[in-house]
Amino acid sequence: IMFPACGSCEVVVNGKLYEHFLHGFARKNTFSVSQKSAQSITFSLASNGQTKQLYPYDFQLRFTYSIDGNALTIKHEAFNPSNEPIFCAFGSHESYQLDGDVNGYVIDFEKEENLDTCLHTPDTGKLTGEIKSFGKQKVFALPADFLQEGRTLIFKDLYSEQVALKTLSCKLCAEINFKGFKNLLLWRPHGAKMICIESWQNLPDKVGEELIEFSQKAGIEQIPPKQTKTAERTIKYY
């Protein structure tokens, strides 16, 4: 779970820099179970004194996981209980076990894409401003030689809202629908027989760039007073 931002993203509100956690602080908190049935479960987290030290806004966060046949739907909800706007973004970090090395698999995009990956630093994860191009493709063979030593494929501003994980022989493994998320990241631990397929709403900061207000960063969305921001993703397994 990534909230209130994805990756290495500094939080500056009204000129004050808050302590930063990679992928946000929500993943380091204990959620409560607010609803549960045979097919779904909802986890909740509300702002408190600890979260206010990292992120000054009031919020009520809910993540609902629902199963319907071979499909898992993950619904993200952030409610703003205050009388002022708040700002945030969501992101995912699911991983998929593979029967072999990553070079035996492809990512089939819904639409043809210009697959230019944003390069990042190995230590902080911040963007360098450099680009490595894999050209215009719809079916992208996972490059084992690139996915080493913590390197991540960072594809931004996609037209596709769905991808499929397939073997080279076109066997379908999973379909991931990420409507509402413009960026897709692919990563694995060094040498692991797995791939993370991550949909992010914002991207990391750039190395050396001037700090700006959190509300002004690309991909960070506003939630008006007493309103809820919702995003939903569905994963089908085969």
Side-chain angles (χ1 to χ4, degrees), residues 23-178:
H23 302 321
F25 60 81
R27 67 192 184 98
K28 294 181 175 289
N29 282 252
T30 301
F31 284 66
S32 61
V33 176
S34 55
Q35 285 184 310
K36 183 171 65 171
S37 72
Q39 286 77 38
S40 70
I41 188 167
T42 299
F43 300 98
S44 300
L45 176 70
S47 53
N48 53 53
Q50 183 181 15
T51 68
K52 285 292 189 71
Q53 295 179 28
L54 307 171
Y55 175 73
Y57 300 113
D58 289 314
F59 66 88
Q60 294 172 10
L61 192 60
R62 287 162 52 96
F63 286 86
T64 300
Y65 294 76
S66 304
I67 294 175
D68 183 8
N70 68 329
L72 170 67
T73 296
I74 305 166
K75 185 177 183 180
H76 314 240
E77 297 174 276
F79 173 68
N80 175 9
S82 70
N83 295 317
E84 301 291 336
I86 70 172
F87 300 88
C88 69
F90 292 125
S92 72
H93 207 299
E94 287 88 24
S95 60
Y96 300 81
Q97 181 179 329
L98 307 176
D99 288 334
D101 194 32
V102 292
N103 59 11
Y105 291 82
V106 302
I107 300 295
D108 189 348
F109 288 82
E110 178 187 19
K111 301 177 181 178
E112 194 172 58
E113 302 281 356
N114 288 313
L115 295 179
D116 299 331
T117 184
C118 305
L119 301 184
H120 63 88
T121 61
D123 49 353
T124 66
K126 291 189 175 183
L127 304 183
T128 65
E130 299 173 287
I131 297 292
K132 175 178 173 60
S133 178
F134 289 91
K136 194 169 187 177
Q137 300 189 53
K138 183 179 182 295
V139 179
F140 175 63
L142 290 174
D145 56 342
F146 184 90
L147 292 168
Q148 302 283 349
E149 301 172 346
R151 286 194 294 269
T152 305
L153 291 161
I154 303 174
F155 300 128
K156 68 174 185 176
D157 296 330
L158 296 178
Y159 296 105
S160 300
E161 295 181 332
Q162 180 173 301
V163 297
L165 174 64
K166 299 179 178 180
T167 66
L168 285 177
S169 60
C170 295
K171 178 185 176 182
L172 182 59
C173 304
E175 290 178 330
I176 302 98
N177 183 295
F178 50 94

